[in-house]
Every structure is written in structure tokens, then in C-alpha cells.
Amino acid sequence: MSACLRFTRRVWKSFIDNKGHDAQCFPNLMITRAIPGLVETKLNIEQYNLNRVGTVHGGLIMSLTDTLGSLAVASKGHYMTGVSTDVSTSFVRPAGRVGDVLSATATVTALGKSLAYTRVDFTTANGELVAYGTHTKYVGRSSSDPNNVKFSEDGEKVIEGIDVE
């Protein structure tokens, strides 16, 4: 497993261990791939993810835009992923029903000293776009966290900081 994937999963575990919003809304989120600046996930849709008409609730996708934007920032080596300044989500078509798998790709589109910009695309199992979102984060203070790391370009190794197995 690459250092970037291992690190991003460790950050995700810290979200879940907090027993907050993420643990309540999508505890079964799986990070399937992480390279610096890009995270891919899958979510098995459960009954509690639905709206009253039986499809994925828009609020779930909005929350995932926030969380996955944060994990994209984590994939750049940030253990603390900052605070949200703006989140936006657009819905293209229904995102699925119980038993379906919702896939998402979160990308860091820009990362500066103070702000990080991310985009998250949500797709069905057959690759149809169902929603997309953007997420802006203030990362000014989090960029100096002692748990941060720097990855090799391909994300295979930690070249600065501590690689926790």
C-alpha cells in the first residue's frame, strides 16, 4: 500500500474515531485509492442514506463534498485539513438506491499557503455523473501541524515526516 493511501486512511480513521458527523452519516465509506491531490472512494448505499422517495439524499452528497474535499487535502500530506470557507454541490441525476455503490473522486485543484480548492465528482457504478461539488478550505494554520508529511511525487513514500504503518 502506498504511503499516501495509508496516510489518507489514517486521517479518515481519525474522523471516524471522533464519533461525529462522518461516523453517523457514512461510516462505511471506503477509500480505494489515494495519490497526492486525488482520492477515490466508494460508498455502499444503505437505507439511512436515502430521502423519502427512496434515492440518495442530497444532504449526504453535500456532506460527502465537504468530507472528501478534506480527504483530498489530506492526500497532500495535511493531517489537519483546515476549516471550510465554501462548499457547493450541483445535482445532475438521482445518485442511487439501497444496494447501489456511489463512487467519488476528490481532487485538489489548487493548494496555497492559506486556501485549498477541491472538486468532487460523484458517479454511479457504471460511471454516470450524478453530482459534483467544490470545497474551499482555509489551511493556513493546519499547514504547520507536526503530523503533516511530504510524499514522493507518486505518493509511494514519505520523504519528510513520520510514516506510520
Side-chain angles (χ1 to χ4, degrees), residues 73-91:
V73 171
S75 77
K76 296 290 274 183
H78 286 244
Y79 185 78
M80 299 304 289
T81 58
V83 295
S84 300
T85 62
D86 184 61
V87 180
S88 175
T89 306
S90 295
F91 305 95

Side-chain angles (χ1 to χ4, degrees), residues 38-53:
L38 183 137
V39 174
E40 293 176 352
T41 66
K42 294 194 180 305
L43 180 71
N44 293 321
I45 303 303
E46 305 288 347
Q47 181 65 37
Y48 59 84
N49 299 133
L50 305 181
N51 58 28
R52 65 184 180 149
V53 297

Side-chain angles (χ1 to χ4, degrees), residues 114-163:
S114 297
L115 295 174
Y117 300 89
T118 68
R119 177 184 166 104
V120 183
D121 290 330
F122 297 91
T123 57
T124 62
N126 63 0
E128 282 188 310
L129 183 70
V130 295
Y132 58 92
T134 59
H135 185 202
T136 306
K137 301 205 66 149
Y138 172 72
V139 294
R141 291 187 180 161
S142 62
S143 62
S144 62
D145 188 275
N147 294 307
N148 291 353
V149 298
K150 184 174 180 182
F151 298 111
S152 58
E153 194 172 314
D154 61 4
E156 288 297 315
K157 296 183 282 192
V158 170
I159 57 176
E160 287 180 29
I162 300 171
D163 185 6

